[in-house]
Amino acid sequence: MLGSEILMTAIIATSSAQSTAPSEDNSNDGYIMVDVEKLEDSSYKAHDSSKPGFVAAELSRDAE
Amino acid sequence: MLGDSHNFGRAVRSENSLVLKSRTVFWEWLLLGGDSPLSLYFSSLNEDLHLPFTVFPRLSFELNEYPNESKCERLKVNEIAFDEYVFTDVQLGAFGSVLALCHFFGISDLHYENTVFGIDEKDGRLIFCPIDVEVVFENNILLSQALLLESDSLTNGKSGTQSLLAGLNNNQLTKVIVSYLEYSYLLGRYRKQIINYLQNELFIGKQRVRVLIRPTADYATDRDDRKFSRCENEQLDRGDIPYYFRFLESKTIYHYTSKEGIYKPCLISDRDLEPTLNHIMDYDSLEHKFDDSVFLVSALQMIKRVIDEAPFTFELVSIFRLDITKDKILMNYRGNKIGCYL
């Protein structure tokens, strides 16, 4: 499912970035760390405004 | 006219205390109608499921078959003075439940002009609701995709929660988020019954749902005929913003070919429609769509976007704990541990 794929990508992205991320405490005690920005970006691109299918991100119209 | 022209010059318009819409108002009636059967059904399942309806208006509707106009009582609200109004925990909880309900139903296009927050002029009740509900059952992962929350691609106060969330302090915001999670959890428990009710009692499969195949803004700026399909260009040529719809029981996308409401499948290629088809839910997948991880991640996005204090800690014994430090957010909801770096 598209959502799960995007979610997994965001989790993997954070895992690889973790070693270089500045952090005072690297032990996250079992927390799954998610790259929210990557997820926003991936979710956005999955429905990119340059392709059909993206629900309006830039709102320059009057609401219906 | 209150909005864009569609389908041979039709548009939403107002007449005295009514809003007249040349499309189904079934979805709005289901949520906002004074005689909403969904409100009653939710109460019968579990009293707590009724929570969002406590901040929904109770409007009158007249549902007519397209191409006849349907009618809706106009909702009028007064602004809330945040420094004078004291929100109860139940009201904050209701706000979170509205967000969860919108997410559950995949309601989209909920930018700042399509949501209402304020005091109902009619009965003095606190209101927070979507008002333009025609794009539903979309497969949104994050609230920002429904335009309910800001993201890097949606800024400048254009999200549907801007007028509400900007006025709350961090403790209040956290209560809204906890309620969002709790209500999502509750919907998850009852989803089979709810979907069965919608399919077999309300026959939602026969209802029309608008499908947006590209942002309306694309049509309004720098029109390039080569970028659009033939049927989009035909609609643009007659002065309409292209309009597509489907019946919820299928993914076939239609457009109207006459003012009298005759419709045909749209002839846009499958390749061009693929992103759209990936983003809408087919009838059979409704039950399987609501993955708990979606709500956890969505709550995490809300925390990251709206709580602007570090260090910040909030705990609701045995259910929820939030720790924000200068470099990360850690959230534990019912043993589900999730976080992000800042």
Side-chain angles (χ1 to χ4, degrees), chain B residues 224-334:
Chain B
D224 177 357
D225 286 8
R226 292 166 301 178
K227 187 177 165 187
F228 305 135
S229 66
R230 193 173 139 194
C231 74
E232 284 174 296
N233 281 318
E234 283 175 5
Q235 294 184 61
L236 288 165
D237 285 344
R238 62 174 187 249
D240 289 336
I241 294 296
Y243 186 98
Y244 298 92
F245 70 95
R246 67 182 175 119
F247 296 95
L248 197 56
E249 63 191 359
S250 124
K251 280 191 168 187
T252 303
I253 298 174
Y254 300 95
H255 68 111
Y256 291 107
T257 56
S258 81
K259 197 167 188 174
E260 289 71 39
I262 294 169
Y263 56 87
K264 288 182 179 171
C266 81
L267 297 176
I268 301 174
S269 73
D270 288 348
R271 186 180 57 82
D272 285 341
L273 278 181
E274 190 182 348
T276 302
L277 295 172
N278 280 339
H279 193 54
I280 58 181
M281 287 184 282
D282 63 38
Y283 196 55
D284 293 329
S285 66
L286 292 181
E287 186 178 325
H288 307 289
K289 184 259 171 178
F290 306 107
D291 180 342
D292 290 345
S293 64
V294 170
F295 298 115
L296 292 168
V297 170
S298 192
L300 190 65
Q301 186 202 25
M302 251 194 287
I303 293 166
K304 190 167 188 283
R305 285 282 169 187
V306 302
I307 297 182
D308 55 359
E309 185 180 337
F312 178 77
T313 297
F314 186 100
E315 187 165 13
L316 197 62
V317 179
S318 79
I319 291 178
F320 181 85
R321 182 177 171 88
L322 173 64
D323 292 290
I324 304 179
T325 59
K326 67 178 183 183
D327 66 343
K328 64 188 169 188
I329 298 171
L330 297 177
M331 180 184 88
N332 183 339
Y333 172 67
R334 293 183 178 273

Side-chain angles (χ1 to χ4, degrees), chain A residues 25 28 32 34 40 52-53 64, chain B residues 132 213 297 301 305 328 339:
Chain A
D25 175 11
N28 290 324
I32 295 171
V34 176
E40 284 178 350
E64 183 178 346
Chain B
D132 194 14
I213 65 169
V297 170
Q301 186 202 25
R305 285 282 169 187
K328 64 188 169 188

Side-chain angles (χ1 to χ4, degrees), chain A residues 4-61:
Chain A
S4 304
E5 285 168 16
I6 292 170
L7 190 55
M8 194 52 68
T9 305
I11 292 169
I12 291 167
T14 301
S15 303
S16 59
Q18 204 167 330
S19 57
T20 54
S23 172
E24 289 179 348
D25 175 11
N26 279 322
S27 65
N28 290 324
D29 192 24
Y31 282 79
I32 295 171
M33 301 302 280
V34 176
D35 187 335
V36 174
E37 283 162 10
K38 173 105 180 167
L39 188 57
E40 284 178 350
D41 193 42
S42 301
S43 304
Y44 176 73
K45 281 184 176 165
H47 315 291
D48 195 295
S49 62
S50 64
K51 305 168 200 164
F54 179 69
V55 181
E58 291 300 324
L59 304 162
S60 61
R61 68 182 177 98

Side-chain angles (χ1 to χ4, degrees), chain B residues 52-198:
Chain B
F53 293 93
T54 62
V55 288
F56 284 171
R58 294 158 188 161
L59 302 175
S60 299
F61 285 86
E62 182 183 306
L63 281 70
N64 294 312
E65 284 291 319
Y66 190 85
N68 296 316
E69 288 177 317
S70 288
K71 297 174 185 174
C72 170
E73 178 187 351
R74 178 184 283 279
L75 173 62
K76 290 182 184 170
V77 299
N78 294 318
E79 268 187 43
I80 286 179
F82 279 96
D83 50 349
E84 294 170 12
Y85 199 93
V86 180
F87 294 101
T88 66
D89 283 355
V90 173
Q91 288 171 329
L92 295 169
F95 298 152
S97 72
V98 172
L99 299 179
L101 191 68
C102 290
H103 201 174
F104 182 84
F105 281 125
I107 303 171
S108 292
D109 207 24
L110 294 179
H111 53 78
Y112 70 112
E113 290 172 312
N114 282 345
T115 60
V116 167
F117 171 60
I119 302 294
D120 193 335
E121 275 188 12
K122 189 169 70 172
D123 56 17
R125 292 170 56 241
L126 181 67
I127 298 293
F128 175 54
C129 67
I131 51 163
D132 194 14
V133 188
E134 60 172 336
V135 183
V136 299
F137 289 101
E138 296 226 336
N139 198 6
N140 295 324
I141 302 162
L142 302 171
L143 289 178
S144 56
Q145 284 177 278
L147 308 186
L148 273 170
L149 200 64
E150 296 205 351
S151 66
D152 290 345
S153 56
L154 179 73
T155 54
N156 305 323
K158 289 175 176 172
S159 79
T161 55
Q162 178 62 25
S163 61
L164 166 63
L165 300 184
L168 301 179
N169 64 40
N170 288 331
N171 272 322
Q172 291 173 317
L173 288 166
T174 309
K175 288 175 181 175
V176 171
I177 292 166
V178 173
S179 174
Y180 165 82
L181 284 163
E182 282 287 276
Y183 196 80
S184 298
Y185 182 77
L186 195 61
L187 285 168
R189 274 177 55 198
Y190 289 99
R191 67 183 158 205
K192 279 188 180 175
Q193 291 101 309
I194 293 168
I195 290 163
N196 184 54
Y197 173 74
L198 292 171

